[in-house]
């Protein structure tokens, strides 16, 4: 029997992409958050020097990598972890899609995720036949909830959850006996005080969890801060008992992060200079694009952090997608991320300086296809 999976929405963008590509200056594709800048040289060097990887790598990761992950949480978030509280993954998406299955969640159980959400949370529920619930209100999470996903900074909306909001969510999940996971892969890309100078809060913060991380996990990716999307370099940290359960399944299925990638991750985690350099590039692109959008009549909501602007003209999302496509700009409609995005579009900052400048110029001048 075929699985009852959520629709894969991106095919809906094909006609808009074709329309935008007809612009005389070419398309500016701001629909996908895939890095365009080079992978840092020190990371590429580390990968190259580890290519004599003739033996099978460890599913659990090398002790050096697990310690590097723990050290990163300590240095950037003030969270003290041991090696057995960390686990590398092959990117974060596979972990998000698979966690419900690995935890034995199934029919009759509920998986909760944000109202405006990356679609893989819902996919993970569908893969096991669980009930999927989009809800930002912990009081509304029902008995029978077994897994809760938080996303801060949020994709698509860039919303940052405060320590108090995280604390309330964790308390409710524990009351329900659910595992709660913070998807935090944009934590280093904050734009508004205080997150312009420090990472956004983690769900593992002692002010959130108290003196125990029981039932709580944090998922992180190096795709964004280090331009490692092609490396599939990510990790999870938190409750050692939950991670041991997950690790046992991953060993059986052979989910081994390649050893050269593990070595590259260690180097990336230990260096902060390249992260700040990349953040500066995104800050400049964001400022240019936001000013142009607001000048063209858009309102930007949330977007305190992350790689997107959550923008609206107060009309159905696909109407806005069409308006922008007429100007050679492709964006993602908010409807891809749930009913909460019905009048928003997600505008990615992941384009080159030249393409961002082209988009800003088109928004500022009002130039569109068919215009004189």
């Amino acid at each position: 029997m075929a699985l009852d999976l959520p629709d894969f929405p991106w095919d809906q963008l094909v006609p808009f992409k074709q329309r935008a590509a007809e612009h005389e200056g070419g398309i500016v594709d701001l629909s996908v958050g895939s890095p365009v800048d080079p992978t840092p040289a020190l990371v590429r060097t580390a990968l190259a020097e580890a290519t004599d990887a003739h033996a099978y790598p460890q599913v659990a990761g090398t002790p050096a990598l697990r310690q590097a992950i723990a050290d990163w949480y300590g240095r950037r978030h003030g969270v003290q972890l041991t090696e057995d509280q960390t686990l590398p993954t092959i990117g974060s998406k596979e972990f998000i899609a698979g966690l419900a299955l690995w935890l034995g969640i199934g029919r009759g159980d509920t998986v909760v995720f944000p109202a405006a959400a990356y679609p893989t949370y819902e996919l993970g529920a569908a893969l096991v036949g669980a009930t999927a619930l989009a809800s930002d209100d912990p009081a509304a999470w029902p008995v029978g909830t077994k897994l809760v996903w938080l996303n801060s900074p949020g994709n698509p909306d860039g919303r940052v959850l405060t320590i108090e909001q995280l604390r309330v969510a964790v308390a409710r999940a524990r009351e329900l006996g659910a595992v709660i996971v913070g998807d935090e892969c944009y934590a280093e890309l904050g734009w508004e005080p205080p997150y312009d100078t420090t990472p956004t809060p983690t769900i593992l913060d002692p002010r959130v969890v108290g003196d125990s991380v029981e039932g709580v996990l944090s998922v992180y990716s190096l795709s964004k801060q280090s331009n490692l999307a092609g490396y599939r370099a990510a990790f999870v940290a938190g409750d050692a008992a939950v991670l041991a359960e997950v690790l046992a399944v991953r060993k059986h299925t052979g989910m081994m992060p390649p050893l050269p990638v593990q070595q590259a991750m260690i180097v990336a985690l230990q260096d902060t200079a390249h992260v700040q350099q990349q953040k500066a590039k995104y800050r400049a692109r964001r400022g240019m694009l936001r000013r142009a959008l607001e000048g063209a009549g858009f309102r930007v909501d949330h977007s305190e952090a992350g790689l997107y602007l959550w923008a609206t003209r107060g009309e159905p999302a696909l109407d806005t997608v069409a308006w922008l496509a007429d100007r050679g700009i492709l964006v993602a409609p908010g409807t891809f991320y749930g009913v909460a995005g019905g009048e928003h579009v997600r505008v990615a900052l992941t384009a080159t300086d030249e393409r961002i400048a082209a988009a800003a110029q088109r928004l500022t001048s009002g130039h569109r296809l068919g215009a004189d």
Side-chain angles (χ1 to χ4, degrees):
M1 181 182 295
L3 292 171
D4 183 18
L5 300 181
D7 292 335
F8 187 73
W10 292 93
D11 292 343
Q12 297 176 35
L13 280 185
V14 171
F16 299 106
K17 185 173 185 178
Q18 293 171 340
R19 179 67 169 162
E22 295 173 6
H23 195 282
E24 63 182 6
I27 188 173
V28 179
D29 191 343
L30 306 179
S31 66
V32 180
S34 184
V36 298
D37 299 306
T39 300
L42 80 167
V43 177
R44 285 182 281 148
T45 298
L47 183 83
E49 291 177 348
T51 51
D52 182 16
H54 46 272
Y56 287 112
Q58 296 172 267
V59 175
T62 65
L65 174 55
R66 298 184 82 171
Q67 187 60 55
I69 295 168
D71 290 345
W72 181 84
Y73 275 98
R75 186 172 63 252
R76 300 304 293 157
H77 290 289
V79 173
Q80 302 306 311
L81 299 172
T82 56
E83 285 183 27
D84 65 343
Q85 292 177 302
T86 69
L87 180 69
T89 62
I90 310 168
S92 59
K93 188 170 185 176
E94 57 92 346
F95 185 85
I96 293 168
L99 184 59
L101 174 64
W102 304 329
L103 294 179
I105 293 169
R107 298 191 182 279
D109 299 327
T110 296
V111 174
V112 173
F113 51 88
Y118 179 62
T120 308
Y121 308 122
E122 184 177 3
L123 172 67
L127 288 174
V128 298
T131 299
L133 175 63
S135 173
D136 294 326
D137 180 7
W141 301 345
V143 173
T145 296
K146 299 299 183 184
L147 177 61
V148 176
W149 289 101
L150 303 181
N151 184 203
S152 176
N155 175 8
D157 58 9
R159 185 170 67 124
V160 176
L161 298 178
T162 65
I163 289 291
E164 178 60 17
Q165 288 172 315
L166 292 170
R167 188 194 64 76
V168 170
V170 167
R172 176 59 174 162
R174 285 173 166 170
E175 179 183 321
L176 295 167
V179 172
I180 184 167
V181 190
D183 179 358
E184 302 172 345
C185 70
Y186 302 98
E188 292 279 9
L189 298 173
W191 310 116
E192 298 179 7
Y195 310 127
D196 54 338
T197 57
T198 62
T200 58
T202 177
I203 197 171
L204 300 180
D205 191 298
R207 294 170 294 175
V208 174
V209 298
D211 59 3
S212 169
V213 295
E214 181 180 358
V216 184
L217 299 176
S218 162
V219 178
Y220 203 77
S221 168
L222 300 182
S223 294
K224 314 304 183 183
Q225 70 181 46
S226 300
N227 295 330
L228 294 186
Y231 284 48
R232 312 313 301 133
F235 49 86
V236 57
D239 187 333
V242 175
L243 291 182
E245 185 177 348
V246 168
L247 177 59
V249 179
R250 293 175 71 86
K251 285 181 177 178
H252 278 292
T253 55
M255 302 186 78
M256 298 175 280
L259 187 60
V261 173
Q262 294 191 39
Q263 187 60 36
M265 289 175 68
I266 293 171
V267 172
L269 286 164
Q270 291 173 342
D271 181 73
T272 58
H274 78 275
V275 179
Q276 295 307 310
Q277 291 166 4
Q278 187 60 46
K279 183 174 180 177
K281 292 180 181 180
Y282 283 134
R283 181 184 287 111
R285 293 167 185 167
R286 179 182 183 271
M288 180 181 294
L289 201 52
R290 180 165 189 163
R291 287 190 296 272
L293 284 166
E294 291 175 338
F298 284 80
R299 186 184 76 241
V300 175
D301 292 332
H302 296 302
S303 308
E304 299 96 341
L307 289 182
Y308 312 102
L309 293 172
W310 190 233
T312 180
R313 281 164 33 105
E315 64 185 4
L318 286 178
D319 289 352
T320 306
V321 172
W323 187 90
L324 288 165
D326 281 342
R327 288 151 181 82
I329 303 167
L330 185 68
V331 300
T335 47
F336 282 10
Y337 308 96
V339 295
E343 292 188 348
H344 283 78
V345 294
R346 193 193 74 168
V347 186
L349 309 180
T350 48
T352 63
D353 293 346
E354 182 274 330
R355 289 287 82 190
I356 293 288
Q361 192 276 331
R362 294 173 195 181
L363 289 164
T364 301
S365 67
H367 180 66
R368 61 185 178 87
L369 288 168
D372 292 333

